[in-house]
Amino acid sequence: MSVTEKEQVRTRFSDLDTQRHTTSRTYEDSCLGDRYRILEEAGYSWKRMIEESVRLQTVGADIRFLAQQMENTELSIRTSYRSGQDGLLSFSQEVLDPNGKVAAEIRTLARTEKDGKPFQLLAAQDPSEEILSSFESVPSFSGSCERTLAERDLFFCERNPFGDYNPSHYWRLLEEGRWNFTAECGLSLEDLVAMDTTLFYMGGKIRYRKPLAAGRRAKIQTWIHSFDKIWSRMRQEVSDSETGEILAESMDDLLVVSVSKSRPKKPGEDLLKIFARVTEFPEGASK
Protein backbone atom coordinates (compact mmCIF):
# COMPACT_ATOMS: atom_id res chain seq x y z
CA MET A 1 0.00 0.00 0.00
CA SER A 2 1.29 3.46 -0.93
CA VAL A 3 0.42 6.63 1.01
CA THR A 4 0.70 10.23 -0.17
CA GLU A 5 -0.37 13.61 1.20
CA LYS A 6 0.15 16.35 -1.37
CA GLU A 7 -3.14 17.74 -2.64
CA GLN A 8 -4.16 21.05 -1.07
CA VAL A 9 -7.65 22.50 -1.54
CA ARG A 10 -9.04 25.87 -0.51
CA THR A 11 -12.81 25.94 -0.19
CA ARG A 12 -14.78 28.83 -1.71
CA PHE A 13 -18.06 30.57 -0.99
CA SER A 14 -19.50 28.81 -4.05
CA ASP A 15 -18.82 25.44 -2.34
CA LEU A 16 -21.39 26.18 0.38
CA ASP A 17 -24.81 24.55 0.21
CA THR A 18 -28.19 25.40 1.76
CA GLN A 19 -26.97 23.99 5.08
CA ARG A 20 -24.20 26.64 5.01
CA HIS A 21 -21.27 24.25 4.82
CA THR A 22 -19.07 22.81 2.08
CA THR A 23 -20.84 20.30 -0.14
CA SER A 24 -19.86 16.64 -0.25
CA ARG A 25 -19.14 17.08 -3.96
CA THR A 26 -16.27 19.44 -3.14
CA TYR A 27 -14.60 16.66 -1.15
CA GLU A 28 -15.13 14.09 -3.88
CA ASP A 29 -13.89 16.34 -6.68
CA SER A 30 -10.76 17.12 -4.66
CA CYS A 31 -10.14 13.42 -4.01
CA LEU A 32 -10.71 12.63 -7.69
CA GLY A 33 -7.94 15.06 -8.63
CA ASP A 34 -5.55 13.27 -6.29
CA ARG A 35 -6.47 9.88 -7.77
CA TYR A 36 -5.51 11.20 -11.20
CA ARG A 37 -2.30 12.63 -9.74
CA ILE A 38 -1.28 9.12 -8.66
CA LEU A 39 -1.85 7.83 -12.19
CA GLU A 40 0.17 10.73 -13.58
CA GLU A 41 3.07 9.87 -11.29
CA ALA A 42 2.90 6.35 -12.73
CA GLY A 43 3.42 7.86 -16.20
CA TYR A 44 -0.17 8.42 -17.31
CA SER A 45 -1.36 12.00 -17.21
CA TRP A 46 -5.00 12.53 -18.06
CA LYS A 47 -3.90 13.91 -21.44
CA ARG A 48 -1.95 10.75 -22.23
CA MET A 49 -4.89 8.67 -21.06
CA ILE A 50 -7.17 10.44 -23.54
CA GLU A 51 -4.64 10.02 -26.36
CA GLU A 52 -4.26 6.27 -25.69
CA SER A 53 -7.95 5.57 -24.87
CA VAL A 54 -7.16 4.73 -21.24
CA ARG A 55 -9.87 5.40 -18.64
CA LEU A 56 -10.23 5.31 -14.88
CA GLN A 57 -13.67 3.76 -14.37
CA THR A 58 -15.19 4.21 -10.91
CA VAL A 59 -16.94 1.10 -9.63
CA GLY A 60 -17.92 1.96 -6.07
CA ALA A 61 -17.48 4.34 -3.15
CA ASP A 62 -17.88 4.15 0.62
CA ILE A 63 -18.23 7.56 2.27
CA ARG A 64 -18.20 9.02 5.79
CA PHE A 65 -18.58 12.68 6.74
CA LEU A 66 -17.15 13.56 10.14
CA ALA A 67 -16.86 17.36 10.44
CA GLN A 68 -18.47 20.23 8.55
CA GLN A 69 -16.25 22.76 6.80
CA MET A 70 -16.82 26.37 5.79
CA GLU A 71 -15.53 28.61 3.01
CA ASN A 72 -11.90 29.84 2.77
CA THR A 73 -10.60 26.75 4.57
CA GLU A 74 -7.33 25.07 3.59
CA LEU A 75 -7.95 21.33 3.30
CA SER A 76 -5.47 18.61 2.44
CA ILE A 77 -6.03 15.17 0.94
CA ARG A 78 -4.27 12.07 2.29
CA THR A 79 -4.43 9.18 -0.17
CA SER A 80 -3.42 5.54 0.07
CA TYR A 81 -4.13 2.92 -2.56
CA ARG A 82 -3.99 -0.79 -3.28
CA SER A 83 -3.67 -2.30 -6.75
CA GLY A 84 -4.88 -5.68 -7.94
CA GLN A 85 -4.98 -7.67 -11.14
CA ASP A 86 -6.94 -6.54 -14.23
CA GLY A 87 -6.35 -2.86 -13.43
CA LEU A 88 -8.29 -2.97 -10.16
CA LEU A 89 -7.55 -0.11 -7.74
CA SER A 90 -8.79 0.73 -4.25
CA PHE A 91 -8.19 4.30 -3.03
CA SER A 92 -8.58 5.25 0.64
CA GLN A 93 -8.68 9.02 1.07
CA GLU A 94 -9.04 11.38 4.00
CA VAL A 95 -9.96 15.04 3.75
CA LEU A 96 -8.13 16.86 6.56
CA ASP A 97 -8.93 20.27 8.05
CA PRO A 98 -6.17 22.82 8.86
CA ASN A 99 -5.64 21.17 12.28
CA GLY A 100 -5.20 17.73 10.76
CA LYS A 101 -8.62 16.52 11.87
CA VAL A 102 -10.41 14.20 9.45
CA ALA A 103 -13.43 15.92 7.90
CA ALA A 104 -14.37 13.13 5.47
CA GLU A 105 -13.30 9.64 4.45
CA ILE A 106 -13.84 8.37 0.90
CA ARG A 107 -12.95 4.85 -0.23
CA THR A 108 -13.14 4.35 -3.98
CA LEU A 109 -13.08 1.15 -5.99
CA ALA A 110 -11.97 1.74 -9.59
CA ARG A 111 -10.48 0.00 -12.60
CA THR A 112 -8.13 1.26 -15.31
CA GLU A 113 -9.26 0.26 -18.81
CA LYS A 114 -7.94 0.65 -22.35
CA ASP A 115 -10.43 0.58 -25.20
CA GLY A 116 -13.00 -0.74 -22.73
CA LYS A 117 -10.86 -3.68 -21.54
CA PRO A 118 -8.95 -4.06 -18.22
CA PHE A 119 -5.55 -2.38 -18.41
CA GLN A 120 -2.80 -2.91 -15.82
CA LEU A 121 -1.53 0.63 -15.34
CA LEU A 122 -0.11 0.06 -11.82
CA ALA A 123 1.65 -3.15 -10.85
CA ALA A 124 -0.60 -5.52 -8.90
CA GLN A 125 0.17 -5.64 -5.17
CA ASP A 126 -2.81 -7.44 -3.64
CA PRO A 127 -5.28 -10.18 -4.68
CA SER A 128 -8.23 -8.68 -6.54
CA GLU A 129 -10.63 -10.88 -4.56
CA GLU A 130 -9.41 -9.31 -1.34
CA ILE A 131 -9.91 -5.80 -2.70
CA LEU A 132 -13.38 -6.55 -4.07
CA SER A 133 -14.57 -8.23 -0.87
CA SER A 134 -13.83 -5.06 1.12
CA PHE A 135 -16.67 -3.30 -0.74
CA GLU A 136 -20.04 -4.73 0.28
CA SER A 137 -22.85 -4.92 -2.27
CA VAL A 138 -26.04 -2.88 -1.95
CA PRO A 139 -29.16 -5.03 -1.31
CA SER A 140 -31.68 -5.37 -4.13
CA PHE A 141 -35.08 -3.71 -3.81
CA SER A 142 -37.71 -6.18 -2.57
CA GLY A 143 -40.63 -4.30 -4.15
CA SER A 144 -42.48 -4.18 -0.83
CA CYS A 145 -43.00 -0.40 -0.65
CA GLU A 146 -43.57 2.71 -2.76
CA ARG A 147 -40.66 4.84 -3.95
CA THR A 148 -40.45 8.53 -4.69
CA LEU A 149 -39.39 9.59 -8.20
CA ALA A 150 -37.41 12.52 -9.55
CA GLU A 151 -36.17 13.03 -13.11
CA ARG A 152 -33.28 15.32 -14.00
CA ASP A 153 -31.61 16.34 -17.27
CA LEU A 154 -28.02 15.32 -17.95
CA PHE A 155 -26.34 18.34 -19.48
CA PHE A 156 -23.64 18.04 -22.14
CA CYS A 157 -21.72 20.97 -20.63
CA GLU A 158 -21.11 19.21 -17.31
CA ARG A 159 -18.92 16.42 -18.71
CA ASN A 160 -15.19 16.10 -18.00
CA PRO A 161 -12.28 16.04 -20.56
CA PHE A 162 -13.02 12.37 -21.28
CA GLY A 163 -16.58 13.24 -22.29
CA ASP A 164 -17.87 11.45 -19.19
CA TYR A 165 -19.42 12.55 -15.90
CA ASN A 166 -17.29 12.64 -12.77
CA PRO A 167 -18.49 10.53 -9.82
CA SER A 168 -19.59 13.72 -8.05
CA HIS A 169 -22.30 14.11 -10.70
CA TYR A 170 -23.88 10.88 -9.48
CA TRP A 171 -23.63 12.36 -5.97
CA ARG A 172 -25.53 15.41 -7.19
CA LEU A 173 -28.33 13.25 -8.60
CA LEU A 174 -28.58 11.23 -5.40
CA GLU A 175 -28.79 14.42 -3.35
CA GLU A 176 -31.54 15.64 -5.67
CA GLY A 177 -33.36 12.39 -4.95
CA ARG A 178 -33.08 12.93 -1.19
CA TRP A 179 -34.44 16.48 -1.42
CA ASN A 180 -37.27 15.28 -3.65
CA PHE A 181 -38.00 12.42 -1.21
CA THR A 182 -38.66 14.85 1.64
CA ALA A 183 -40.82 17.06 -0.60
CA GLU A 184 -42.92 14.14 -1.93
CA CYS A 185 -43.47 12.93 1.63
CA GLY A 186 -45.00 16.35 2.33
CA LEU A 187 -42.38 17.40 4.85
CA SER A 188 -41.42 21.06 4.97
CA LEU A 189 -38.71 22.56 7.17
CA GLU A 190 -41.46 23.84 9.46
CA ASP A 191 -42.90 20.31 9.77
CA LEU A 192 -39.53 18.90 10.81
CA VAL A 193 -39.02 21.66 13.35
CA ALA A 194 -42.49 20.97 14.79
CA MET A 195 -41.46 17.31 15.21
CA ASP A 196 -38.14 18.41 16.73
CA THR A 197 -36.45 16.28 14.11
CA THR A 198 -33.98 16.60 11.30
CA LEU A 199 -32.02 14.07 9.23
CA PHE A 200 -28.29 14.47 8.61
CA TYR A 201 -26.67 12.68 5.66
CA MET A 202 -23.58 11.09 7.20
CA GLY A 203 -22.38 8.96 4.29
CA GLY A 204 -23.10 5.60 2.76
CA LYS A 205 -22.27 3.30 -0.13
CA ILE A 206 -22.55 4.08 -3.85
CA ARG A 207 -22.15 1.44 -6.54
CA TYR A 208 -21.70 2.68 -10.11
CA ARG A 209 -23.05 0.33 -12.77
CA LYS A 210 -23.10 2.19 -16.10
CA PRO A 211 -22.15 5.64 -17.45
CA LEU A 212 -24.64 8.48 -17.47
CA ALA A 213 -25.65 9.40 -21.04
CA ALA A 214 -25.41 13.11 -21.92
CA GLY A 215 -28.57 14.65 -23.35
CA ARG A 216 -30.80 12.09 -21.64
CA ARG A 217 -32.73 12.23 -18.39
CA ALA A 218 -31.83 10.35 -15.25
CA LYS A 219 -34.53 8.87 -13.04
CA ILE A 220 -33.86 8.82 -9.29
CA GLN A 221 -35.98 6.54 -7.10
CA THR A 222 -35.66 6.90 -3.33
CA TRP A 223 -37.05 5.06 -0.34
CA ILE A 224 -36.26 4.07 3.25
CA HIS A 225 -34.73 0.62 3.49
CA SER A 226 -35.11 0.46 7.29
CA PHE A 227 -34.67 2.28 10.58
CA ASP A 228 -31.96 1.14 13.00
CA LYS A 229 -32.20 2.91 16.36
CA ILE A 230 -31.00 6.49 15.63
CA TRP A 231 -30.27 5.71 11.96
CA SER A 232 -32.38 5.85 8.84
CA ARG A 233 -31.03 3.62 6.06
CA MET A 234 -32.07 5.16 2.76
CA ARG A 235 -31.90 3.34 -0.59
CA GLN A 236 -31.64 5.00 -3.99
CA GLU A 237 -31.39 3.96 -7.62
CA VAL A 238 -30.38 6.13 -10.57
CA SER A 239 -31.60 4.76 -13.91
CA ASP A 240 -31.88 5.82 -17.54
CA SER A 241 -35.38 7.24 -18.05
CA GLU A 242 -35.54 5.75 -21.57
CA THR A 243 -34.06 2.27 -21.16
CA GLY A 244 -34.78 1.75 -17.46
CA GLU A 245 -31.25 0.43 -16.91
CA ILE A 246 -29.90 1.04 -13.41
CA LEU A 247 -26.85 3.31 -13.66
CA ALA A 248 -26.02 3.59 -9.95
CA GLU A 249 -27.42 2.58 -6.59
CA SER A 250 -26.77 3.59 -3.02
CA MET A 251 -27.42 2.80 0.62
CA ASP A 252 -27.25 6.03 2.63
CA ASP A 253 -26.79 6.57 6.36
CA LEU A 254 -29.00 9.37 7.70
CA LEU A 255 -28.70 10.29 11.37
CA VAL A 256 -31.97 11.23 13.12
CA VAL A 257 -31.30 14.28 15.31
CA SER A 258 -33.31 16.34 17.81
CA VAL A 259 -33.33 19.97 16.62
CA SER A 260 -33.78 21.43 20.12
CA LYS A 261 -31.12 19.30 21.79
CA SER A 262 -28.76 18.88 18.82
CA ARG A 263 -28.42 15.23 19.77
CA PRO A 264 -29.22 11.96 17.97
CA LYS A 265 -32.54 10.36 18.83
CA LYS A 266 -34.80 7.53 17.73
CA PRO A 267 -37.39 8.56 15.11
CA GLY A 268 -40.77 9.44 16.62
CA GLU A 269 -44.04 7.76 15.70
CA ASP A 270 -45.11 10.83 13.73
CA LEU A 271 -42.08 10.54 11.43
CA LEU A 272 -42.46 6.76 11.07
CA LYS A 273 -46.10 7.24 10.08
CA ILE A 274 -45.23 9.77 7.38
CA PHE A 275 -42.54 7.46 5.98
CA ALA A 276 -44.60 4.25 6.29
CA ARG A 277 -45.59 3.96 2.61
CA VAL A 278 -41.97 4.44 1.46
CA THR A 279 -40.33 2.15 4.04
CA GLU A 280 -39.23 -1.21 2.68
CA PHE A 281 -38.65 -2.95 6.01
CA PRO A 282 -40.63 -1.44 8.91
CA GLU A 283 -39.27 -2.08 12.39
CA GLY A 284 -39.43 -5.78 13.17
CA ALA A 285 -39.77 -6.88 9.54
CA SER A 286 -37.24 -9.29 8.07
CA LYS A 287 -34.42 -7.80 5.99
Side-chain angles (χ1 to χ4, degrees):
M1 179 180 289
S2 301
V3 181
T4 63
E5 187 176 344
K6 290 187 177 180
E7 187 76 7
Q8 299 289 323
V9 179
R10 185 176 179 84
T11 61
R12 306 162 298 175
F13 173 79
S14 58
D15 293 320
L16 302 182
D17 62 12
T18 57
Q19 308 305 305
R20 304 178 185 180
H21 59 258
T22 300
T23 71
S24 60
R25 298 185 299 279
T26 299
Y27 300 143
E28 165 55 23
D29 285 335
S30 301
C31 287
L32 177 65
D34 210 41
R35 298 198 288 270
Y36 274 99
R37 180 187 59 77
I38 288 171
L39 300 186
E40 182 172 8
E41 291 181 350
Y44 274 83
S45 68
W46 63 266
K47 293 180 181 179
R48 180 182 177 184
M49 292 173 67
I50 290 175
E51 291 171 356
E52 299 184 13
S53 298
V54 175
R55 297 287 188 272
L56 179 67
Q57 299 291 354
T58 306
V59 180
D62 290 352
I63 312 142
R64 291 180 66 213
F65 300 111
L66 304 170
Q68 298 175 353
Q69 301 299 309
M70 301 301 293
E71 80 278 22
N72 301 321
T73 302
E74 294 286 349
L75 303 176
S76 59
I77 311 298
R78 178 189 295 154
T79 301
S80 62
Y81 67 89
R82 304 168 65 189
S83 55
Q85 297 84 8
D86 296 325
L88 199 65
L89 292 166
S90 173
F91 298 92
S92 294
Q93 298 180 279
E94 294 178 328
V95 180
L96 308 173
D97 71 11
N99 298 317
K101 183 179 179 181
V102 179
E105 298 175 345
I106 301 175
R107 287 202 317 134
T108 303
L109 180 65
R111 175 178 281 110
T112 47
E113 299 179 353
K114 182 179 176 65
D115 296 320
K117 297 179 181 179
F119 177 67
Q120 198 69 41
L121 194 154
L122 296 172
Q125 301 170 335
D126 299 296
S128 295
E129 295 78 9
E130 184 178 311
I131 294 175
L132 288 168
S133 65
S134 67
F135 286 82
E136 298 177 350
S137 61
V138 171
S140 299
F141 177 50
S142 67
S144 62
C145 71
E146 296 179 32
R147 302 188 285 183
T148 63
L149 172 65
E151 290 194 58
R152 297 293 183 269
D153 292 317
L154 298 173
F155 297 108
F156 287 96
C157 62
E158 294 185 329
R159 295 172 297 167
N160 63 25
F162 295 89
D164 302 323
Y165 291 95
N166 292 328
S168 62
H169 204 83
Y170 291 83
W171 293 32
R172 182 192 300 276
L173 293 171
L174 292 169
E175 186 172 350
E176 279 290 295
R178 292 193 294 273
W179 279 108
N180 181 74
F181 175 84
T182 305
E184 282 203 28
C185 288
L187 281 176
S188 65
L189 178 60
E190 290 74 23
D191 294 328
L192 290 169
V193 170
M195 290 187 286
D196 190 29
T197 300
T198 190
L199 300 171
F200 285 147
Y201 174 61
M202 302 296 291
K205 299 174 173 58
I206 304 174
R207 301 296 176 257
Y208 308 88
R209 289 195 182 186
K210 292 191 175 183
L212 301 169
R216 302 268 274 274
R217 288 176 67 81
K219 183 170 66 174
I220 310 107
Q221 291 178 289
T222 307
W223 68 102
I224 299 292
H225 176 267
S226 58
F227 286 96
D228 181 12
K229 297 179 181 178
I230 59 175
W231 292 98
S232 168
R233 309 297 183 188
M234 178 176 281
R235 277 278 285 112
Q236 295 186 273
E237 288 181 354
V238 178
S239 58
D240 187 295
S241 61
E242 293 183 21
T243 67
E245 290 182 293
I246 296 177
L247 308 178
E249 54 189 348
S250 71
M251 173 78 90
D252 306 323
D253 297 328
L254 277 71
L255 184 64
V256 185
V257 175
S258 164
V259 176
S260 62
K261 298 179 181 179
S262 298
R263 293 174 55 185
K265 70 169 190 175
K266 291 190 66 174
E269 290 299 324
D270 46 1
L271 189 68
L272 294 176
K273 184 177 181 180
I274 291 172
F275 286 156
R277 69 178 179 87
V278 287
T279 299
E280 188 173 4
F281 295 105
E283 190 172 358
S286 174
K287 303 179 182 60

